[in-house]
Amino acid sequence: MIISTKIQKKNEKPPPEKLFDPSSDSPFLSFAPQILFWWGGKKQFAFFFFFFPLSNAPLVRMDSTYASSSYPDLSSPAMPTAGGVSRPVKIIPLQHPSVGAGSSSSSSNSPAAFFSGLATKWKRLTFLQFIDGLFPCYRWIRTYRWRDDFQVDLIAGLTIGIMLVPQAMSYAKLAGLEPIYGLYTGFVPIFVYAIFGSSRQLAIGPVALVSLLVSNVLRGIAGPSDELYTELAIVLALMVGILECILGLLRLGWLLRFISHSVISGFTTASAVVIGLSQAKYFLGYNITQSSKIVPLIQSIIAGADQFAWPPFVMGSGILAVLLVMKHLGKSRKQFRFLRAAGPLTGVILGTTLAKIFHHPSISLIGEIPQGLPSFSVPKNFGYAKSLIPTAFLITGVAILESVGIAKALAAKNGYELDSSQELVGLGLANIFGSFFSSYPSTGSFSRSAVSNESGAKTGLSGIITGIVMGCALLFLTPLFEFIPQCALAAIVVSAVIGLVSELINRSNLSQLCFAPFATWTWTI
């Protein structure tokens, strides 16, 4: 028998509990302890114990009772209180696991029982609930207020479209692809996400960090000028989409929450430095070694210093300065908020105008870009899929940690619910469908999502309008892109990574910096 009331002398310490004593019959023996240590700042520690079942024995709570010698008779049904009035003592019988209980527990945890319960839940769904779960866009479609919401969605969609066109071409060059594939990546996935994604402000498409990851893995397999390079980038988009859908359907996105913020910050900071150094060749006017490591890039830049050319450096630095000033004014002054979104387009127009007026042989241009919408094609060359698996997991991790995090923050700010698992499925389907239309991996963008929210986007219709802008650019504007200088696109990329690093610094509380997170951050870099 176990007595729930515990009476203990003031200075008496209880003996240690033997939860894992091999000589006992405790059902805790069927559980393996795993300890996770977490450091939360100054003098803050926490231990988390996770018990993973090794058998089907059910867990039974085993309480130890320590009694004072002043109460020798503990078997009586009542005990005196301080006022002399007796009160009842609750007697809890000790129940050991039986064979029947074990069999019932194992049967309840069987796959058949799981799928049976899942089928029962599906049967209870009404038609509207089924449509809501399958097409999250239906939630805002049925309550859409055309008079109040359409104008702000139209402005937000046009703003993000104007911002995305030059960024898409810039990030495609960073990934080692032709600029047209950046435009493709900003076209079909946007429409798919607007239907299956649950966030109403998240702006998806090509981003700098994912483009760098694509470049790093594919350069070890094929050269950027090879057709195989482009085909593998498209296959990678399909793999990332399938992986995101699997994690979303199984609701396993929480697994990556255990990754420390210091690791994420260190990885992103190092990636931003590599991205910036890789764009130096467009500013300096000569080629440098392509590498994912910082030291070889710096050595290559120093080794080719005798080939330095002033025209691309002056043009690129000037455009970069204009972009940074416009971004700063757009963030700090409400009346100049539109400058933040107009920055990339301004840089492209300014660079194209200067290149037409003062064209110099050292200033390289984008060149001819195919005109028209992407055609349907099935991804091929799966022979290298095994070597792409680690990068697919890494890009999926970026999608979970960054895109879903942004989407949840925007949903909380705008007062609607967001399902993280549904968000992963939406991102996965966007990548899967995009891979059939020549897209490389896409995910949510920090900068464009912030501009979308600031522009007042209310629903996913703003994303559809952005997709229409991208389609018009593919149909009518590609002949104009031929004269865009490479240094202008490089300035857009560098401006984006500077903003990414500054965002990380702002989100980090440097005043409470302690040794463990700093050491983790440094080791990750």
Side-chain angles (χ1 to χ4, degrees):
M1 309 290 284
I2 292 182
I3 300 178
S4 62
T5 304
K6 300 180 180 179
I7 305 172
Q8 181 182 339
K9 287 184 177 180
K10 184 176 182 180
N11 298 323
E12 182 180 350
K13 294 183 179 180
E17 299 184 53
K18 298 181 179 180
L19 294 179
F20 305 103
D21 185 3
S23 61
S24 69
D25 295 329
S26 170
F28 277 99
L29 290 176
S30 62
F31 283 72
Q34 302 291 331
I35 301 176
L36 173 66
F37 177 75
W38 173 74
W39 184 293
K42 289 184 177 180
K43 299 182 181 179
Q44 297 178 11
F45 305 88
F47 285 89
F48 296 92
F49 289 82
F50 296 90
F51 294 92
F52 297 94
L54 300 179
S55 71
N56 291 327
L59 175 62
V60 179
R61 183 168 179 261
M62 305 205 42
D63 289 343
S64 299
T65 304
Y66 311 104
S68 171
S69 58
S70 61
Y71 296 96
D73 186 11
L74 296 178
S75 61
S76 60
M79 296 182 67
T81 61
V85 181
S86 62
R87 61 182 178 83
V89 177
K90 185 178 179 181
I91 308 298
I92 305 175
L94 176 62
Q95 297 179 354
H96 288 283
S98 61
V99 176
S103 61
S104 62
S105 175
S106 61
S107 62
S108 62
N109 294 328
S110 63
F114 170 78
F115 287 109
S116 176
L118 191 63
T120 303
K121 291 181 180 180
W122 275 95
K123 291 179 180 178
R124 292 176 180 175
L125 290 177
T126 63
F127 178 74
L128 290 180
Q129 290 174 337
F130 175 77
I131 295 297
D132 276 351
L134 187 60
F135 302 104
C137 62
Y138 183 69
R139 301 170 192 170
W140 57 263
I141 289 177
R142 69 170 184 262
T143 59
Y144 195 80
R145 299 171 298 179
W146 288 93
R147 181 173 299 179
D148 299 330
D149 297 341
F150 179 73
Q151 183 177 359
V152 290
D153 281 340
L154 178 63
I155 295 174
L158 291 175
T159 303
I160 300 304
I162 293 172
M163 189 178 182
L164 178 58
V165 171
Q167 281 190 346
M169 294 187 290
S170 304
Y171 296 151
K173 294 293 294 182
L174 177 61
L177 299 166
E178 293 297 325
I180 188 63
Y181 292 100
L183 298 175
Y184 290 162
T185 306
F187 179 57
V188 172
I190 290 181
F191 289 104
V192 178
Y193 179 81
I195 298 173
F196 296 101
S198 53
S199 176
R200 303 176 187 179
Q201 288 81 28
L202 186 69
I204 73 162
V207 296
L209 185 56
V210 172
S211 299
L212 177 67
L213 295 175
V214 172
S215 174
N216 288 345
V217 67
L218 296 186
R219 287 184 187 276
I221 301 175
S225 59
D226 296 342
E227 185 179 354
L228 177 63
Y229 188 97
T230 303
E231 293 174 353
L232 291 180
I234 297 172
V235 169
L236 185 59
L238 178 62
M239 294 175 61
V240 169
I242 293 174
L243 189 57
E244 288 174 341
C245 285
I246 291 175
L247 292 178
L249 293 174
L250 298 181
R251 297 185 175 272
L252 297 178
W254 59 269
L255 291 174
L256 291 176
R257 295 180 185 175
F258 294 103
I259 300 178
S260 169
H261 175 72
S262 302
V263 174
I264 302 169
S265 177
F267 172 75
T268 307
T269 303
S271 300
V273 174
V274 172
I275 291 171
L277 292 175
S278 67
Q279 299 300 298
K281 63 180 181 180
Y282 301 117
F283 287 86
L284 303 177
Y286 59 88
N287 290 325
I288 61 175
T289 302
Q290 294 296 323
S291 175
S292 60
K293 298 180 180 179
I294 297 176
V295 175
L297 286 171
I298 296 177
Q299 291 176 344
S300 178
I301 292 173
I302 296 174
D306 57 334
Q307 306 174 30
F308 174 76
W310 281 102
F313 178 77
V314 173
M315 180 183 292
S317 300
I319 295 174
L320 178 60
V322 171
L323 292 175
L324 294 177
V325 170
M326 294 181 68
K327 182 180 292 186
H328 175 71
L329 290 175
K331 286 184 177 181
S332 58
R333 306 289 180 87
K334 289 186 178 180
Q335 62 269 29
F336 298 128
R337 185 179 299 174
F338 67 94
L339 293 178
R340 184 179 180 184
L345 181 63
T346 303
V348 166
I349 295 175
L350 182 61
T352 304
T353 304
L354 293 175
K356 292 284 285 186
I357 298 174
F358 306 104
H359 181 63
H360 192 274
S362 61
I363 300 177
S364 58
L365 305 178
I366 287 182
E368 185 178 357
I369 296 179
Q371 188 174 5
L373 301 179
S375 58
F376 179 85
S377 61
V378 179
K380 51 186 177 180
N381 281 324
F382 289 92
Y384 295 92
K386 186 176 181 181
S387 59
L388 300 179
I389 291 177
T391 304
F393 273 98
L394 191 55
I395 295 175
T396 303
V398 171
I400 296 175
L401 297 170
E402 302 296 342
S403 300
V404 178
I406 300 169
K408 292 178 70 174
L410 292 176
K413 188 174 182 179
N414 289 275
Y416 62 90
E417 296 182 358
L418 184 135
D419 186 353
S420 300
S421 298
Q422 179 63 48
E423 190 68 15
L424 268 179
V425 173
L427 289 171
L429 290 175
N431 277 304
I432 290 175
F433 280 93
S435 66
F436 290 96
F437 292 91
S438 303
S439 299
Y440 75 95
S442 62
T443 188
S445 168
F446 266 126
S447 58
R448 294 195 298 272
S449 299
V451 172
S452 175
N453 183 63
E454 292 172 1
S455 300
K458 296 295 184 182
T459 66
L461 182 61
S462 61
I464 296 176
I465 295 172
T466 300
I468 294 174
V469 172
M470 295 298 295
C472 293
L474 286 167
L475 287 172
F476 309 112
L477 300 180
T478 51
L480 301 177
F481 300 154
E482 179 181 351
F483 303 101
I484 298 176
Q486 300 270 22
C487 59
L489 298 183
I492 295 174
V493 173
V494 174
S495 172
V497 298
I498 290 175
L500 183 62
V501 174
S502 63
E503 181 72 20
L504 286 172
I505 294 175
N506 293 334
R507 291 194 302 169
S508 302
N509 192 353
L510 299 179
S511 62
Q512 297 184 358
L513 184 66
C514 54
F515 174 75
F518 179 75
T520 305
W521 180 83
T522 306
W523 177 83
T524 305
I525 292 181

